[in-house]
């Protein structure tokens, strides 16, 4: 995991519409960068819908949400459309950005070993440094937890 206070690694990735998104373009605001294993699977859908459900509250606080997986761009648009996700989903097909955020590596599932994305989340502050970090998060209630933690930062 990246440490709080560490500069968040920069990146430029395509979103669900094929448009590029760069972290550097979002300087001056808080950015939730959440890593998820696979679009349109139960846990990832729960997590994405959680962010969708508090999206207006996050935007009122000037927070941008970016979801990152190693799914190809073509898999992201249907997922975003099906669940009416108002934020951008980014494709990190080679896992390089996920790796830079310590959110990619060897996983085991059903006796199979493979490389994939870990369910971690970072909140990057307006100055580009990590202000909150969550490892191995539970999808249920995660977005609300971040909202509460962001409010605590402002107090």
């Amino acid at each position: 995991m990246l440490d709080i206070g560490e500069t968040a690694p920069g990146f430029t990735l395509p979103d669900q519409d094929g448009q590029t998104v760069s972290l550097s373009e979002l300087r001056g605001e808080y950015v939730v960068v959440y890593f998820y294993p696979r679009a349109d699977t139960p846990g990832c859908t729960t997590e994405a819908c959680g962010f969708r459900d508090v999206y207006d509250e996050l935007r009122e606080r000037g927070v941008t949400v970016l979801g990152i997986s190693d799914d190809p761009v073509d898999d992201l648009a249907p997922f975003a459309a099906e669940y009416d996700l108002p934020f951008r989903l980014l494709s990190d097909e080679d896992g390089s950005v996920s790796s830079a955020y310590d959110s990619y590596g060897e996983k085991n599932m059903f006796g199979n070993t493979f490389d994939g994305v870990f369910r971690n989340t970072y909140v990057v502050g307006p100055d580009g440094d990590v202000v909150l970090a969550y490892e191995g998060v539970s999808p249920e209630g995660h977005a609300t937890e971040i909202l509460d933690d962001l409010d605590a930062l402002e107090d």
Side-chain angles (χ1 to χ4, degrees):
M1 287 295 294
L2 300 179
D3 293 323
I4 291 174
E6 192 172 340
T7 299
F11 60 80
T12 300
L13 292 171
D15 71 4
Q16 69 264 32
D17 300 318
Q19 303 297 314
T20 58
V21 177
S22 296
L23 183 62
S24 62
E25 296 169 351
L26 302 170
R27 277 285 170 105
E29 59 187 270
Y30 286 99
V31 181
V32 171
V33 180
Y34 85 93
F35 294 89
Y36 65 97
R38 186 72 51 222
D40 212 11
T41 57
C44 297
T45 299
T46 297
E47 186 174 22
C49 289
F51 282 112
R52 176 201 63 203
D53 294 346
V54 299
Y55 185 74
D56 288 343
E57 293 172 73
L58 288 165
R59 289 305 302 151
E60 286 170 8
R61 290 163 177 81
V63 178
T64 294
V65 176
L66 301 174
I68 299 178
S69 72
D70 60 356
D71 290 306
V73 169
D74 291 345
D75 290 353
L76 300 177
F79 178 50
E82 181 174 355
Y83 296 99
D84 197 27
L85 303 179
F87 50 86
R88 296 169 99 175
L89 300 176
L90 309 182
S91 174
D92 180 29
E93 282 195 80
D94 66 2
S96 61
V97 172
S98 301
S99 292
Y101 280 79
D102 295 329
S103 297
Y104 191 85
E106 189 174 282
K107 299 172 79 170
N108 293 297
M109 187 180 297
F110 307 119
N112 297 317
T113 301
F114 58 95
D115 286 337
V117 177
F118 305 136
R119 194 181 305 280
N120 296 333
T121 300
Y122 296 93
V123 177
V124 179
D127 61 357
D129 291 343
V130 174
V131 296
L132 297 169
Y134 307 82
E135 185 173 22
V137 303
S138 173
E140 186 72 37
H142 181 52
T144 302
E145 174 187 21
I146 290 173
L147 195 59
D148 292 343
D149 290 348
L150 281 167
D151 286 345
L153 282 177
E154 298 297 317
D155 290 342

